[in-house]
Amino acid sequence: MTTTTLTARQRVGAVTGAIIAPLQWGYLNDRPEAVAALARLRRGAGKQFSEMPDLWGLADTRPLHAPPADGGRVLREDELIRAEDAVHVALTLWALHQQSQSQGMHQAHRPTAPRGLGAAVRRLMPPNEIAEPLRKRLVRAGNAADLPAVAQRLRDLVVLLRAGDVQLDYALLAEQLYHWQEPGGRDAVRREWGRSFQAVRASDDTSGKAPGSSAPAGTTSPSSGDSTVANPGDNTGFTDSIDKDAS
């Protein structure tokens, strides 16, 4: 039997998912240790791993340091730093997102149910419309200059996702944040977010379902004079606009 060796990026996603799963179950079942762990993790949302010594050891990231069971190589020091930072950002954002929610906010992405960042932002928008204030928040996240900046901009988006009761695949986000730190990775991740944004419309067209019917509190209503709403037929260039729009 052939064993598939995970890439460094895939290992980051696997570790993130393995950490979140029991914490999410515990939180939803009102287990005190899980509730306390999420409270600690939330304090790290938008902050760097090195700034939050209180969180060191809270999540089991040993699989990132140990030789993988699939026979793959040990991560280099630069890869390990990227991996730890990516896991930290994803975990703290998930904890913020999960706060006061009665269902799990981390849900795995599937082709029939896209859960990527772009898809989540798209689901915040009214059916058959593109809300420019929300789209620009996603673009700003993609155009962030460094990981602390992207973490802070993602934090702002996650607050809106929580208000809109929209789920996200945080293992996938951790993978993307790892890749985002690699040379040339930012452009690739921005393209992933753009395609994810488009995927919601494609899957909804197939299923007959529409994205979310209203924008959450804190975003501009499409009926307001301050909102710029595009026809969904004009969103074919969204993937490229992630690259072109100014931060």
Side-chain angles (χ1 to χ4, degrees):
M1 181 177 178
T2 303
T3 301
T4 301
T5 301
L6 298 181
T7 65
R9 169 177 168 157
Q10 291 170 330
R11 288 171 62 185
V12 167
V15 167
T16 302
I19 294 170
I20 289 177
L23 286 175
Q24 183 163 272
W25 182 90
Y27 182 84
L28 295 175
N29 286 276
D30 203 25
R31 297 298 174 89
E33 64 277 9
V35 173
L38 263 72
R40 289 173 61 190
L41 285 169
R42 281 196 300 272
R43 292 196 291 270
K47 299 179 181 178
Q48 297 185 66
F49 180 61
S50 59
E51 295 176 338
M52 299 299 298
D54 180 54
L55 302 184
W56 298 353
L58 179 60
D60 185 6
T61 58
R62 286 177 297 177
L64 294 176
H65 299 258
D70 59 16
R73 62 176 178 80
V74 175
L75 296 182
R76 301 190 309 265
E77 180 64 18
D78 61 323
E79 293 173 322
L80 189 55
I81 291 172
R82 292 174 191 144
E84 290 174 336
D85 288 344
V87 171
H88 167 79
V89 172
L91 287 180
T92 55
L93 290 176
W94 163 73
L96 179 67
H97 195 170
Q98 188 61 58
Q99 184 180 22
S100 302
Q101 299 296 313
S102 60
Q103 61 176 333
M105 290 294 104
H106 165 60
Q107 295 294 329
H109 166 83
R110 301 192 309 274
T112 56
R115 301 293 183 194
L117 181 65
V121 171
R122 180 66 182 91
R123 290 190 184 281
L124 289 174
M125 299 181 183
N128 304 315
E129 295 176 344
I130 302 299
E132 275 298 297
L134 282 169
R135 189 194 70 85
K136 287 182 177 179
R137 284 178 180 268
L138 177 60
V139 170
R140 287 187 70 246
N143 285 333
D146 52 30
L147 189 64
V150 77
Q152 184 57 55
R153 293 177 185 185
L154 288 175
R155 186 189 188 283
D156 295 339
L157 280 172
V158 164
V159 170
L160 298 178
L161 295 179
R162 183 179 65 189
D165 199 27
V166 176
Q167 297 163 322
L168 182 65
D169 186 337
Y170 279 92
L172 174 60
L173 181 63
E175 290 188 17
Q176 291 170 334
L177 291 172
Y178 175 85
H179 190 34
W180 194 90
Q181 299 172 78
E182 294 183 299
R186 185 170 69 168
D187 290 344
V189 170
R190 288 189 301 198
R191 186 160 294 275
E192 287 185 38
W193 290 348
R195 286 176 177 168
S196 174
F197 184 94
Q198 297 283 62
V200 170
R201 186 174 177 226
S203 65
D204 290 337
D205 287 347
T206 300
S207 65
K209 297 178 181 178
S213 59
S214 62
T219 64
T220 307
S221 166
S223 61
S224 147
D226 292 334
S227 176
T228 303
V229 179
N231 185 293
D234 296 334
N235 73 356
T236 54
F238 178 81
T239 300
D240 291 335
S241 74
I242 284 278
D243 297 324
K244 295 176 182 176
D245 282 16
S247 61

